[in-house]
């Protein structure tokens, strides 16, 4: 009986040091599974437990920028949420031009867009949508807003204004409300700019679909 127990102990010791394969004849990893794997209750990825939660969900992904083979395992529900919407209210803007606001959002980790823009004139102002001279009849100064996000010194900046509005003789103030939609670059691929020449026409077709989709 002692010999049998010794053999069993040696077998477990050898198995503990070997690779385990499920549906794999010759596994090369500590645990290698062929086909689909179902985890009924929870799985622990040191040091966090990911539990099946009926009131929500957890997305588990990998960070391709990490040094580990295949990428470091991470939980998307916390820091790495694919989509973040951050409202901004920029108040007391002199006249109508918000030339440059540094959002301090790093360009190497995130891509941003602007949504839900609203221009609110201060009390007593003429209103940004009308020219100052004869606002009901004169339309010569009507134009459009310029709304853009741009990169500068490794952070995202915002520029909003109404270039053709004549506010030189006013001291009007405005409030700009908008949302910044923040996308983690871990989940988006930059395919570069596609240039399409219309050759003076009103219709054109891109030379090809984006490379990499």
């Amino acid at each position: 009986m002692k010999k049998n127990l010794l053999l069993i102990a040696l077998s477990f010791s050898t198995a503990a040091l070997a690779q385990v394969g499920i549906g794999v004849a010759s596994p090369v990893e500590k645990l290698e599974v062929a086909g689909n794997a179902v985890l009924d209750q929870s799985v622990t990825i040191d040091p966090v437990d990911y539990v099946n939660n009926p009131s929500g969900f957890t997305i588990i992904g990998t960070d391709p920028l990490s040094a580990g083979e295949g990428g470091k395992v991470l939980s998307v529900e916390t820091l790495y949420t694919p989509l973040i919407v951050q409202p901004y209210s920029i108040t007391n803007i002199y006249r109508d031009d918000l030339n440059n606001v540094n959002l301090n959002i790093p360009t190497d980790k995130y891509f941003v867009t602007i949504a839900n823009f609203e221009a609110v004139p201060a009390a007593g102002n003429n209103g940004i949508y009308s020219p100052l001279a004869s606002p009901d009849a004169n339309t010569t100064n009507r134009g459009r807003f310029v709304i853009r996000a741009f990169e500068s010194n490794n952070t995202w900046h915002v520029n909003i204004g109404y270039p053709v509005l004549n506010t030189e003789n006013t001291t009007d103030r405005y409030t700009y409300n908008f949302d910044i939609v923040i996308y983690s670059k871990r989940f988006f691929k930059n395919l570069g700019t596609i240039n399409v020449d219309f050759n003076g026409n009103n219709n054109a077709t891109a030379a090809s679909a984006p490379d990499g989709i």
Side-chain angles (χ1 to χ4, degrees):
M1 177 65 69
K2 290 183 179 179
K3 291 182 179 179
N4 290 338
L5 290 174
L6 179 60
L7 288 173
I8 292 173
L10 289 173
S11 298
F12 276 111
S13 177
T14 303
L17 298 175
Q19 290 79 19
V20 177
I22 302 175
V24 180
S26 301
V28 296
E29 303 293 342
K30 289 185 178 180
L31 174 61
E32 192 168 343
V33 180
N36 297 329
V38 177
L39 303 171
D40 186 44
Q41 295 297 324
S42 67
V43 58
T44 298
I45 301 175
D46 189 33
V48 181
D49 288 337
Y50 297 93
V51 181
N52 180 19
N53 182 0
S55 64
F57 63 91
T58 299
I59 301 175
I60 299 177
T62 59
D63 180 1
L65 302 180
S66 65
E69 182 178 350
K72 177 183 177 183
V73 176
L74 52 86
S75 174
V76 176
E77 68 175 354
T78 55
L79 177 62
Y80 303 104
T81 302
L83 185 66
I84 301 170
V85 178
Q86 174 61 58
Y88 283 81
S89 181
I90 311 297
T91 60
N92 201 24
I93 301 171
Y94 179 52
R95 296 176 178 169
D96 63 284
D97 289 325
L98 180 66
N99 295 326
N100 188 339
V101 55
N102 185 355
L103 302 177
N104 279 316
I105 299 174
T107 57
D108 63 330
K109 296 181 179 179
Y110 302 100
F111 177 78
V112 306
T113 58
I114 304 172
N116 295 329
F117 170 68
E118 177 188 28
V120 182
N125 286 13
N126 292 282
I128 203 165
Y129 293 101
S130 300
L132 298 182
S134 303
D136 295 328
N138 189 331
T139 60
T140 58
N141 285 333
R142 296 190 187 278
R144 54 167 173 64
F145 275 100
V146 171
I147 305 173
R148 69 186 185 100
F150 63 95
E151 301 180 49
S152 180
N153 296 323
N154 301 317
T155 59
W156 285 103
H157 296 239
V158 168
N159 163 225
I160 300 176
Y162 201 89
V164 300
L165 186 63
N166 182 7
T167 57
E168 292 181 0
N169 297 319
T170 74
T171 57
D172 289 349
R173 297 290 187 273
Y174 296 92
T175 293
Y176 287 169
N177 299 320
F178 54 87
D179 292 340
I180 292 294
V181 186
I182 307 170
Y183 308 86
S184 172
K185 285 190 173 180
R186 286 179 170 85
F187 303 94
F188 292 86
K189 183 178 181 181
N190 185 356
L191 301 179
T193 301
I194 294 179
N195 297 309
V196 181
D197 186 356
F198 270 54
N199 291 311
N201 297 312
N202 299 109
N203 301 292
T205 301
S208 63
D211 183 23
I213 64 171

